[in-house]
């Protein structure tokens, strides 16, 4: 008689505003969408039975979709069937949690992994009384956002208190970098219940494009990538460009190129470029398709990632995977991913443009160092930041919390 094979672990990923099926580039569509989609796919490849729960934000969405990789995506009816800014979704979470509770009473998952703080409220409500362990990934912390944005922070007033309560109530918090661990401890989360598993990148997609040949006499190329929001520091890159001769700056992100005229941040950046007399050397590309990004990154001499703060920061590891060195602000996940003097350079977030320009020029004037940093960056990504490695780390956390829950019998 053949041995009975154990049933695959049943994993529920709760991602209230960030669907793994969403088109990237919208105001609330970015790194979390990629993380949830990639994690779900790689867990499914390992034999996990994966269901993603995300809010229904359009009337024509079916209740359930199964992806080509075998991941079930459930569109939860919670709030209006239309796009709602994520900072306005908290009133929808009780309905979201009730939906999860009804589902999970009939067919409980082995572990729940909530993504973002509001997902944590819904996941804990859905799992209450069922003995299902809940893992929480915040992706961004309200304490950090409030510190940097102050009165411009549009988060609900109760966010900080709710995030702290989630950290105490869930079985384990899964942080993405060491800087986040310090924030969690300051919030009152027990260090023993925090695990660190970084975000990832697909090194097969983000890989050096070998056939790019740039004219030796052409301008050196700097590239910055991200949503067109003030905190990303694109203005910092533009100001530094004024003291970087024979260089151009490309900025990828925001709406499609033909819609940039209506984008307030794009207009502000154009004015910054005019003020620094570099408008002829700055190009706003608008949205760049995912499949074009490796070529764009491979064609740059340096990628600049200069946000005021960054919970993790996916752009540096995408650039490093393409063998392109990075100049990044020493914040958040950059402190883990970019090794100063090895894969690129770290600069203070409040760095003045002249010093930033000196760092850039010193790198551009040293092709051998650029090449060495590029090789080291690619090696670092392969060693630490592939989605395979991320999924392995997350799966180990799931196994640990399942074992802990079965031993303690605690309802969490």
């Amino acid at each position: 008689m053949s041995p009975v094979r154990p049933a695959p672990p049943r994993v529920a990923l709760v991602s209230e505003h960030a669907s793994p099926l969403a088109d990237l580039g919208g105001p609330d569509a970015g790194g979390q969408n990629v993380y949830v989609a990639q994690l779900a796919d790689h867990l499914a490849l390992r034999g996990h039975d994966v269901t993603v729960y995300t809010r229904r934000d359009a009337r024509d969405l079916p209740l359930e979709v199964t992806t080509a990789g075998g991941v079930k995506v459930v569109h939860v009816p919670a709030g209006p069937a239309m796009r709602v800014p994520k900072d306005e979704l908290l009133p929808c979470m009780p309905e979201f949690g009730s939906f999860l509770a009804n589902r999970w009473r009939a067919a409980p998952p082995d572990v729940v992994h909530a993504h973002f703080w509001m997902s944590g409220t819904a996941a804990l409500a859905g799992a209450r009384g069922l003995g299902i362990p809940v893992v929480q990934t915040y992706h961004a912390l309200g304490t950090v956002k409030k510190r940097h944005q102050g009165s411009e922070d549009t988060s609900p007033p109760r966010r900080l208190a709710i995030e702290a309560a989630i950290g105490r109530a869930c079985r384990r918090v899964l942080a993405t970098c060491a800087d986040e661990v310090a924030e969690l401890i300051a919030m009152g989360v027990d260090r023993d219940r925090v695990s660190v598993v970084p975000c990832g990148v697909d090194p097969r997609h983000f890989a050096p494009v070998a056939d790019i040949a740039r004219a030796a006499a052409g301008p050196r190329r700097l590239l910055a990538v991200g949503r067109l929001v003030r905190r990303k520091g694109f203005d910092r890159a533009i100001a530094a460009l004024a003291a970087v001769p024979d260089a151009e700056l490309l900025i990828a992100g925001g709406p499609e190129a033909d819609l940039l005229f209506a984008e307030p941040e794009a207009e502000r950046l154009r004015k910054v470029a005019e003020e620094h007399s570099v408008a002829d050397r700055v190009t706003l590309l608008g949205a760049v398709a995912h499949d074009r990004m490796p070529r764009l990154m491979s064609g740059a001499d340096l990628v600049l990632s200069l946000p005021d703060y960054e919970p993790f920061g996916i752009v540096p590891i995408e650039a490093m995977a393409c063998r392109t060195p990075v100049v990044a602000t020493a914040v958040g996940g950059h402190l883990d991913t970019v090794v100063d003097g090895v894969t690129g350079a770290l600069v203070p977030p409040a760095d003045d443009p002249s010093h930033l320009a000196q760092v850039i020029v010193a790198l551009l004037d040293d092709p051998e160092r650029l090449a060495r940093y590029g090789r080291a960056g690619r090696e670092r990504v392969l060693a630490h930041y592939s989605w395979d490695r991320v999924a392995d780390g997350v799966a180990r956390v799931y196994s640990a919390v399942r074992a802990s829950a079965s031993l303690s019998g605690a309802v969490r």
Side-chain angles (χ1 to χ4, degrees), residues 12-21 51-59 61-65 72-82 84 89 92-104 119 122-123 126:
L13 306 182
V14 181
S15 180
E16 97 294 351
H17 75 273
S19 169
L21 306 178
T51 302
V52 180
Y53 295 89
T54 192
R55 199 184 73 85
R56 179 175 175 242
D57 61 3
R59 291 187 178 278
L61 290 175
L63 177 63
E64 187 171 311
V65 175
K72 293 183 287 294
V73 179
V74 176
H75 295 114
V76 177
M82 58 186 289
V84 176
L89 285 174
C92 304
M93 292 304 101
E95 187 178 2
F96 201 121
S98 295
F99 179 93
L100 296 178
N102 290 333
R103 276 274 179 134
W104 295 345
S119 294

Side-chain angles (χ1 to χ4, degrees), residues 164-185:
I166 291 169
R168 293 190 295 269
C170 67
R171 174 68 57 177
R172 182 158 290 270
V173 177
L174 207 163
T176 58
C177 65
D179 189 64
E180 186 181 355
V181 175
E183 293 286 344
L184 291 166
I185 293 171

Side-chain angles (χ1 to χ4, degrees), residues 305-395:
S305 184
L306 304 172
D308 298 327
Y309 70 96
E310 192 65 78
F312 179 79
I314 203 74
V315 170
I317 60 173
E318 290 176 345
M320 288 157 56
C322 294
R323 211 176 287 153
T324 302
V326 178
V327 174
T329 43
V331 297
H334 292 176
L335 294 165
D336 289 0
T337 57
V338 180
V339 182
D340 190 41
V342 177
T343 69
L346 290 172
V347 296
D351 205 14
D352 67 88
S354 61
H355 178 258
L356 175 59
Q358 291 172 13
V359 172
I360 293 170
V361 169
L363 286 170
L364 293 177
D365 287 347
D366 192 343
E368 291 185 5
R369 181 156 55 132
L370 281 179
R372 185 170 69 250
Y373 284 6
R375 291 191 298 270
R378 174 77 180 173
E379 291 169 2
R380 182 164 177 76
V381 167
L382 293 175
H384 300 285
Y385 299 110
S386 71
W387 282 113
D388 286 332
R389 290 191 176 274
V390 172
D392 285 343
V394 173

